[in-house]
Amino acid sequence: MSTTLGQVIKCKAAVAWEAGKPLVIEEVEVAPPQANEVRVKILFTALCHTDVYFWEAKGQTPLFPRIFGHEAGGVVESVGEGVTDLKPGDHVLPVFTGECGDCRHCRSEESNMCDLLRINTDRGVMINDGKSRFSINGKPIHHFVGTSTFSEYTVVHVGCLAKINPAAPLDKVCVLSCGISTGLGATLNVAKPKKGSSVAIFGLGAVGLAAAEGARIAGASRIIGVDLNPSRFEEAKKFGCNEFVNPKDHNKPVQEVIAEMTDGGVDRSVECTGSIQAMISAFECVHDGWGVAVLVGVPNKDDAFKTHPMNLLNERTLKGTFFGNYKPRTDIPGVVEQYLKKELELEKFITHAVPFSEINKAFDYMLKGESIRCIIRMGE
């Protein structure tokens, strides 16, 4: 790897030239890392719904051409000036949000919302100098959430890289750099269900299934999956769900259905849909006196959460979470260790795998609702 040190690297990347159009495998030039940056050789990447959402560009400012991708595993190729805690050859997971280590959020035990490196979906350049590290024939290509892992090499701020145990298989643990950790942490770090408790999970996509996995690990006895798509129920059993509710099957609000099922409400609920109605239902379905509801899904910008204040005064708690309250550099290596100790199962999240040359198939699988996670093998 040392032969490329300080040099521009030419490699393949899947470039989105315009919204909703198939990605094109192009030869791109990847500049060397600048101060506090790291150049990473990506070995495996996964497709997350967030990539699809911004690729479709239906609800936000379109930024093209762009290299998407933010769930991945790779190996450090070179480091920029000032990088002391990573070296070439280290195994890393890039993360869409960061941990500078110096701001008030990073110094707080309670927060993971770094002031410097918090997710910014509108920024298509590196924060160091406001420029892209990707180009084709001198024309810059935009970055995506500071990671851009749909490229054989990428440049990432050191604060957005979790250094992990090299014994961990990157084609499995790469899914921990976004959705799986988000759902898992929402349950384990924020909802914190007790052994033998009841938990309702709203939305059984990848994040919701990870939240259910967290409830299973915590020892919850009743894990109730709530989804409008009953075809998801069978799959959800693998993640610990043992009861299911489809709101469409009832002529009363789903929170009332759950309260009747559970003698007044569940102990914990985790909402993973982004639907404002699901958020309200998730809060109103927890038991008074001790119930805790955690919101994970991202709402539409004009949504407003409405509930009667008595629901709060009767000692229900409403919480929100970002990336499962995990600090990327501090905490994600420990989640990888949980997998290596077989406390956490990741294989069941991975339903498909494709070579990099067929990356558009991964989009097809997700758009058809067929995949939880599709692993993309780089270099193929």
Side-chain angles (χ1 to χ4, degrees):
M1 283 189 182
S2 57
T3 55
T4 56
L5 201 64
Q7 307 290 316
V8 170
I9 289 179
K10 289 187 176 181
C11 69
K12 289 191 171 72
V15 178
W17 288 100
E18 52 185 306
K21 293 288 169 63
L23 307 190
V24 182
I25 305 289
E26 304 275 13
E27 183 178 83
V28 299
E29 296 183 338
V30 185
Q34 302 300 307
N36 297 315
E37 295 174 0
V38 178
R39 190 159 59 184
V40 179
K41 181 177 185 180
I42 299 295
L43 298 179
F44 297 94
T45 187
L47 180 65
C48 168
H49 193 265
T50 306
D51 295 306
V52 176
Y53 179 75
F54 283 91
W55 165 73
E56 289 179 322
K58 288 176 180 170
Q60 68 298 110
T61 312
L63 199 56
F64 295 95
R66 200 171 204 182
I67 297 172
F68 287 103
H70 64 283
E71 278 192 4
V75 178
V76 173
E77 176 269 338
S78 60
V79 300
E81 181 191 335
V83 175
T84 55
D85 49 355
L86 287 174
K87 62 185 185 307
D90 283 344
H91 286 215
V92 290
L93 301 183
V95 183
F96 64 90
T97 187
E99 183 183 350
C100 73
D102 297 324
C103 69
R104 285 176 66 194
H105 284 278
C106 287
R107 292 197 305 269
S108 163
E109 289 180 9
E110 297 179 53
S111 175
N112 65 342
M113 300 185 75
C114 175
D115 280 330
L116 179 68
L117 300 171
R118 192 180 302 188
I119 184 172
N120 182 336
T121 56
D122 292 331
R123 187 170 57 227
V125 292
M126 299 301 288
I127 58 171
N128 183 40
D129 59 1
K131 294 178 181 171
S132 174
R133 302 288 172 263
F134 297 109
S135 61
I136 296 178
N137 299 326
K139 178 181 162 60
I141 307 294
H142 295 293
H143 292 250
F144 178 63
V145 296
T147 53
S148 291
T149 61
F150 294 167
S151 175
E152 291 174 333
Y153 286 86
T154 188
V155 176
V156 182
H157 191 285
V158 65
C160 299
L161 289 167
K163 179 183 173 181
I164 64 163
N165 187 332
L170 290 172
D171 61 332
K172 307 291 189 294
V173 297
C174 65
V175 300
L176 289 173
S177 55
C178 180
I180 309 308
S181 294
T182 296
L184 189 72
T187 303
L188 293 176
N189 299 336
V190 189
K192 297 180 181 173
K194 295 185 172 73
K195 199 170 170 93
S197 62
S198 58
V199 181
I201 309 289
F202 284 73
L204 297 174
V207 176
L209 293 173
E213 176 77 355
R216 182 191 70 76
I217 291 169
S221 59
R222 295 182 73 181
I223 304 175
I224 303 167
V226 184
D227 202 294
L228 296 167
N229 181 357
S231 68
R232 288 177 159 180
F233 293 164
E234 195 57 40
E235 187 78 29
K237 290 177 183 174
K238 297 179 196 170
F239 300 83
C241 285
N242 46 28
E243 296 176 62
F244 300 95
V245 177
N246 182 346
K248 289 195 284 197
D249 292 344
H250 303 273
N251 54 12
K252 61 175 84 165
V254 70
Q255 53 266 48
E256 291 179 23
V257 175
I258 292 170
E260 286 171 13
M261 288 169 63
T262 54
D263 191 24
V266 287
D267 302 309
R268 301 288 187 266
S269 72
V270 185
E271 184 284 322
C272 306
T273 71
S275 151
I276 194 68
Q277 192 50 57
M279 294 179 184
I280 295 166
S281 299
F283 174 56
E284 294 183 353
C285 81
V286 299
H287 207 289
D288 58 4
W290 61 79
V292 178
V294 179
L295 305 186
V296 182
V298 179
N300 292 324
K301 66 180 192 305
D302 298 326
D303 284 340
F305 186 97
K306 292 175 184 164
T307 191
H308 198 282
M310 283 308 297
N311 289 322
L312 286 156
L313 295 171
N314 286 338
E315 298 177 5
R316 292 178 184 87
T317 301
L318 179 64
K319 292 184 170 187
T321 179
F322 170 70
F323 192 51
N325 278 41
Y326 288 118
K327 290 179 185 275
R329 296 161 87 180
T330 303
D331 298 330
I332 293 304
V335 183
V336 170
E337 294 303 319
Q338 279 183 283
Y339 167 74
L340 289 172
K341 291 180 195 159
K342 298 194 164 35
E343 295 166 11
L344 164 66
E345 298 170 18
L346 293 178
E347 284 79 1
K348 60 194 176 186
F349 288 98
I350 298 165
T351 52
H352 297 73
V354 296
F356 187 40
S357 58
E358 297 177 13
I359 189 171
N360 288 302
K361 277 190 181 172
F363 281 75
D364 293 339
Y365 292 139
M366 183 160 279
L367 290 167
K368 288 176 186 167
E370 292 174 4
S371 65
I372 301 173
R373 276 296 178 269
C374 179
I375 302 295
I376 297 151
R377 302 185 298 271
M378 304 302 284
E380 288 188 31

